[in-house]
Amino acid sequence: MVAVSRERFEALVAQALDEIPDDLAELMENVAVLVEDEGDDPDIWGLYDGVPLTDRVDYGGGEMVLPDRIYIYRLPICEGCDTEAEVVEQVGITVIHEVAHHFGIEDDRLDELGWS
């Protein structure tokens, strides 16, 4: 396990988001990325909670809709890594994985692409 402070971990998540190409980042719509210590399932490192862009039809019916949420879980990632470099790499993979769900890409396809 690697001890990474919440502040450092949040910075890693922000860095991973900054590395998303601008043309894709501009397409992200109504989604918040949050860092939590852990989720309901201690074995998952991230979670997308929302309606993928590919499934949105009259999303919200013209009304204000709460943003989709991407959770990145600090403690499971830290527990699964042996070095801070591994944490950095895994945060990047997890952020990309969950953002891909926002774009409607399913786990099977992410596995094929090496983003699982």
Side-chain angles (χ1 to χ4, degrees), residues 1 5 7 10-11 27 29-30 53 58 71 84 94 99 101:
M1 176 177 173
S5 72
E7 294 77 21
E10 288 174 350
L27 296 174
E29 180 181 313
N30 201 30
L53 293 175
D58 196 24
Y71 297 98
E84 186 166 325
T94 305
V99 167
H101 286 317

Side-chain angles (χ1 to χ4, degrees), residues 4-98:
V4 176
S5 72
R6 184 174 182 90
E7 294 77 21
R8 170 74 174 132
F9 194 87
E10 288 174 350
L12 294 175
V13 170
Q15 177 183 337
L17 288 167
D18 286 344
E19 292 175 5
I20 294 173
D22 290 340
D23 55 340
L24 288 178
E26 290 172 4
L27 296 174
M28 292 177 66
E29 180 181 313
N30 201 30
V31 61
V33 179
L34 308 164
V35 170
E36 299 287 340
D37 281 340
E38 59 190 344
D40 293 336
D41 181 345
D43 294 326
I44 64 170
W45 293 3
L47 177 72
Y48 172 70
D49 179 24
V51 178
L53 293 175
T54 54
D55 293 342
R56 293 183 185 182
V57 177
D58 196 24
Y59 185 64
E63 299 174 19
M64 291 295 294
V65 177
L66 291 175
D68 294 356
R69 291 168 302 280
I70 291 174
Y71 297 98
I72 308 298
Y73 299 124
R74 183 176 68 92
L75 295 178
I77 290 176
C78 291
E79 288 171 5
C81 297
D82 294 323
T83 67
E84 186 166 325
E86 287 180 16
V87 172
V88 171
E89 179 180 4
Q90 191 56 57
V91 166
I93 290 169
T94 305
V95 166
I96 294 299
H97 181 101
E98 301 309 331

